[in-house]
Amino acid sequence: MYGDFGSELRRRRTKRGVSITKFAGMVHCSKGHISRVERGLAAASLAFAQACDDVLAADGELVTLAEAEKLSRTRCRDMKVVVGLPASPSNFVGRSDELVRIADFLAADSATPVCVISGLSGAGKTALALRGAWNASEDFPDGCFFFDFEDDSPGSSRDVLDSLLRLLGVPADQMPSRSDALANLWRNRIRGKRLLLVLDNVRSAADVTPLLSAESGCKLIVTSRKRLSGLDDAIHLSVDILSGVEADALFRAVGGERAAGANGQAVRSVVEYCDRLPLAVRIIAARFRHGPMRTVAELEEMLSCEAYRLELLDDGDRSVAAALSVSCNGLTKEERRLLALLVLHPGAGIDLHSVAALADVDLPRARMLMDALAQVHLVTYESSRRLRTHGLVRQFARNMLLPHVPDEEQHAAIRRLLDHGLRLAVTADKLLTPQRYRPPVILDDFPERPAPFTDRAAALRWLESEWRNLVALCRTAAAHRMHSLCWQLAFALREFFFLKKLWGPWIETHVTAVEAARSAGARAWQAISLGNLGVAHADRGDLTMAVGYFRKSLDLYQQLDDEHGVVNAISNIAWVELYLGEYGNSLHGLRAALKCYRRLGNRRNAAIALRGIALLEAELELCPAAVEHAREAGEEFRALGLDLDVVMSVNCAAWAQFRSGDHQAAGASYQEALALADICGSRYEKARALTGLGNIHQAAGDMDTADELWARADALYGGFAPVMLGEARVRLAS
């Protein structure tokens, strides 16, 4: 028992009116440990005593009490305490939450005997275990021991037991020959003792179980690359990469004076290239400190070359590649193949359906294989169906594993992945816009396989989570000369990009698609992609660029004698002329397009042309006709089940009503548009309706409400182009 320090600490804390919860935050320690110290159940380390002394302004009195208790404990022990822990790691940063959990585990009088710290190779598991052990070492007066299982053969727990019993004074001739008898003797000898074992680089639960006992004062901290789920009663801590701030701090601490004063942005780039993995950051920081006189910016440039990055993360004694190799040693051939194939997926995140396509296995098998990789932290689950792979793991797999997969197998895997992505993108697009006109050259005769979504809302969520990967797949298809998959992916994503106003990826995919179609000599797809590229530029207000693309598209459609393509191009040019103020040309083009679309039976495009005519009429102050045509278009869209087009038509009618001076009717229409925009998921149309409502309140002299509505619009979608939106022009003029 320990008393004087604990009772004095409690007296001073309560006198200051500081709760134990608040005090725990002030001294960066767990509530459980503070409670045990105050009750005399745990000793106070000198570092802990100093922190308490500083917070409570005890002028060194608490530190003096802690030193006296430490001296007293040393004198009173009847056997020499063995503290075999390696030195606490220098420049330790972060992991505050994990350290609190370790401290709580070590301080608790519970039946839980072991804490397992698992994580990716190089994540700093050993450093965390040692820091946590040293923080509590004085609470284990009968000894603290460290054993590294890295180089030992299976069954090494017998050797550990033999060593521990010798340290506890058991003569060699009294050591039993059987392993279970050795474990019995161990449990007998530690009765009533307080011991702490740190077992590093453990490979299986079988290495740990012989060392477990029912003694609440005997604790084990275990580190492993595996999760060791076989230790049912253990506390499990998973250690991931550092945060950006923590990685920056580690680089500066290890890198010396030049690193300490380096540019923050350059340091952040360096640690990001290191994937914020502690081992990688330590290696590169040490190389920077002791290597040639380079700047951090030069180091950043060296690391930016992906092909040589792993070589840079090797200082002769430590190596990221070597650490990851150990994690891969226990993988089966099938698991190693899958880890290699994951590199072919262009994004760090991947869903299980894509994994199954990539590996050419069914979904249950894909899940089992990914579970095996997750057990050794080579992949990480973000959700039950989505995983990610750390950048350095991907680079390791690309360098060390992928070369062992034959080229034809890699090509087939890429093709399966692209087919899978295109099939789901087309399926989602059809749910998003079921009445969209699709050229007969679309290749959508995909095999019947279940999709991870069955309705529009679910398809939209899937697209929101996967569009970046699909854009990357579009580039992948072009790079591997799978041209038809490239332009079809771009086409399938267009409506989603229009809904979300993602002009950057929209333009990127269609520029790639145009080049792919040109390389393949597919003039029809070149015309389609040029037209969609023009729509992207027009939608963001870049009207001159848009006209150029539309005219190139029109020329190709005329050469192909494609009537539907020709009328699309004419309609698109007419829309641009509307925004440019060329109302006569625009009206002529939109009326011609409307007539042709109706003759061809394309109801959606006909309604879009009619909405364009309504907008044009509103600009010409033919407002009653504009409202009528906007409502007529809206009814057609409702009949077709096209929610986004409906809300666009309602906003169009509201704008015409506002232009006519009927602000009451305009307000009602804008309110209707708000509700409809929520249904279809259009932030743009919702922000447009809020802007229109703000204009109405501004016109009535209610600037407070107008400003509030405009602020809500800006939060949803900032940066309307006035040339494209009448509501934005009115607001700008206010």
Side-chain angles (χ1 to χ4, degrees), residues 596-668:
C596 190
Y597 283 136
R598 284 174 169 169
R599 179 171 55 79
L600 293 172
N602 188 334
R603 295 171 62 189
R604 182 192 181 216
N605 283 25
I608 291 172
L610 188 60
R611 187 174 67 230
I613 291 171
L615 278 174
L616 179 59
E617 290 168 336
E619 294 302 319
L620 295 172
E621 297 187 352
L622 303 173
C623 296
V627 172
E628 180 183 349
H629 286 142
R631 286 176 172 170
E632 183 183 344
E635 289 304 314
E636 181 73 341
F637 290 133
R638 281 191 177 89
L640 294 171
L642 298 171
D643 294 335
L644 175 60
D645 286 295
V646 171
V647 69
M648 292 173 72
S649 299
V650 173
N651 268 331
C652 177
W655 168 241
Q657 289 161 337
F658 180 86
R659 291 275 288 171
S660 73
D662 190 352
H663 290 184
Q664 182 176 358

Side-chain angles (χ1 to χ4, degrees), residues 443-613:
L443 305 178
D444 60 356
D445 53 338
F446 302 107
E448 287 295 327
R449 291 178 184 167
F453 46 82
T454 55
D455 56 31
R456 185 185 187 278
L460 184 56
R461 288 193 298 272
W462 181 84
L463 284 166
E464 287 171 339
S465 68
E466 284 295 318
W467 70 263
R468 293 174 181 84
N469 283 337
L470 294 169
V471 169
L473 284 175
C474 189
R475 291 194 297 266
T476 299
H480 287 83
R481 301 187 64 79
M482 299 180 186
H483 296 310
S484 68
L485 300 178
C486 170
W487 63 60
Q488 287 182 90
L489 265 172
F491 182 88
L493 288 168
R494 195 216 106 155
E495 289 298 304
F496 171 73
F497 288 153
F498 177 76
L499 171 65
K500 296 299 180 179
K501 304 303 178 187
L502 294 170
W503 298 308
W506 181 353
I507 290 170
E508 178 192 347
T509 52
H510 280 79
V511 166
T512 306
V514 168
E515 290 304 313
R518 183 179 290 122
S519 297
R523 290 194 298 164
W525 273 106
Q526 191 178 344
I528 293 167
S529 302
L530 282 166
N532 285 335
L533 193 52
V535 174
H537 282 283
D539 199 45
R540 74 173 185 178
D542 190 353
L543 302 177
T544 302
M545 289 285 289
V547 168
Y549 286 120
F550 289 147
R551 295 201 183 283
K552 290 178 182 178
S553 175
L554 176 60
D555 183 56
L556 281 170
Y557 280 129
Q558 288 172 335
Q559 293 176 35
L560 294 166
D561 197 23
D562 183 335
E563 183 181 11
H564 198 281
V566 167
V567 71
N568 276 346
I570 291 172
S571 176
N572 287 333
I573 292 170
W575 273 93
V576 174
E577 290 169 338
L578 163 62
Y579 297 126
L580 290 172
E582 299 174 9
Y583 298 140
N585 290 339
S586 176
L587 184 59
H588 175 75
L590 286 171
R591 283 175 172 171
L594 175 62
K595 182 178 179 180
C596 190
Y597 283 136
R598 284 174 169 169
R599 179 171 55 79
L600 293 172
N602 188 334
R603 295 171 62 189
R604 182 192 181 216
N605 283 25
I608 291 172
L610 188 60
R611 187 174 67 230
I613 291 171

Side-chain angles (χ1 to χ4, degrees), residues 227-282:
R227 296 187 185 276
L228 300 185
S229 53
L231 295 172
D232 298 335
D233 297 327
I235 291 174
H236 288 269
L237 292 181
S238 291
V239 180
D240 205 348
I241 59 176
L242 297 170
S243 70
V245 173
E246 291 169 343
D248 291 350
L250 181 60
F251 178 83
R252 293 183 188 278
V254 177
E257 292 183 8
R258 287 189 298 132
N263 174 269
Q265 186 174 354
V267 169
R268 178 57 59 87
S269 295
V270 165
V271 300
E272 290 296 337
Y273 281 131
C274 293
D275 211 27
R276 290 184 269 124
L277 187 71
L279 175 61
V281 175
R282 284 182 177 276

Side-chain angles (χ1 to χ4, degrees), residues 75-338:
R75 289 173 176 170
C76 292
R77 289 171 187 161
D78 57 5
M79 62 171 284
K80 187 176 180 180
V81 175
V82 178
V83 179
L85 300 176
S88 181
S90 61
N91 303 315
F92 185 89
V93 300
R95 311 299 192 198
S96 56
D97 292 342
E98 292 87 345
L99 285 171
V100 168
R101 288 194 63 188
I102 292 171
D104 287 343
F105 158 71
L106 294 176
D109 287 324
S110 67
T112 303
V114 59
C115 173
V116 176
I117 302 172
S118 63
L120 180 65
S121 295
K125 302 180 292 295
T126 304
L128 174 61
L130 287 174
R131 178 55 62 96
W134 272 110
N135 286 348
S137 59
E138 294 187 6
D139 290 347
F140 295 90
D142 297 310
C144 301
F145 307 98
F146 178 89
F147 294 92
D148 189 353
F149 284 64
E150 182 77 272
D151 298 322
D152 294 336
S153 58
S156 58
S157 57
R158 176 185 173 84
D159 296 334
V160 172
L161 280 170
D162 185 87
S163 299
L164 283 168
L165 288 168
R166 289 174 187 273
L167 288 169
L168 293 176
V170 178
D173 58 1
Q174 293 184 19
M175 294 288 185
S177 58
R178 288 175 57 96
S179 296
D180 52 0
L182 205 63
N184 287 332
L185 180 59
W186 158 251
R187 288 189 283 269
N188 180 65
R189 282 302 182 110
I190 63 174
R191 290 179 63 186
K193 295 186 181 298
R194 291 188 60 81
L195 290 164
L196 174 60
L197 305 183
V198 178
L199 308 180
D200 200 28
N201 294 310
V202 168
R203 285 162 300 197
S204 71
D207 288 332
V208 179
T209 49
L211 297 161
L212 300 178
S213 74
E215 291 296 319
S216 62
C218 294
K219 302 284 188 176
L220 284 76
I221 300 177
V222 173
T223 77
S224 179
R225 294 178 179 87
K226 299 180 180 179
R227 296 187 185 276
L228 300 185
S229 53
L231 295 172
D232 298 335
D233 297 327
I235 291 174
H236 288 269
L237 292 181
S238 291
V239 180
D240 205 348
I241 59 176
L242 297 170
S243 70
V245 173
E246 291 169 343
D248 291 350
L250 181 60
F251 178 83
R252 293 183 188 278
V254 177
E257 292 183 8
R258 287 189 298 132
N263 174 269
Q265 186 174 354
V267 169
R268 178 57 59 87
S269 295
V270 165
V271 300
E272 290 296 337
Y273 281 131
C274 293
D275 211 27
R276 290 184 269 124
L277 187 71
L279 175 61
V281 175
R282 284 182 177 276
I283 290 172
I284 204 66
R287 292 191 63 167
F288 176 73
R289 181 173 188 168
H290 301 293
M293 290 293 292
R294 294 191 177 95
T295 65
V296 175
E298 289 171 327
L299 184 64
E300 175 191 357
E301 184 179 359
M302 293 171 66
L303 285 167
S304 68
C305 183
E306 191 174 11
Y308 303 111
R309 194 172 300 156
L310 285 177
E311 289 186 46
L312 288 170
L313 298 177
D314 184 338
D315 62 8
D317 295 315
R318 299 168 296 182
S319 165
V320 170
L324 293 174
S325 292
V326 176
S327 295
C328 291
N329 286 343
L331 298 180
T332 66
K333 182 178 179 180
E334 188 179 16
E335 290 161 359
R336 290 171 70 89
R337 170 183 175 269
L338 177 55

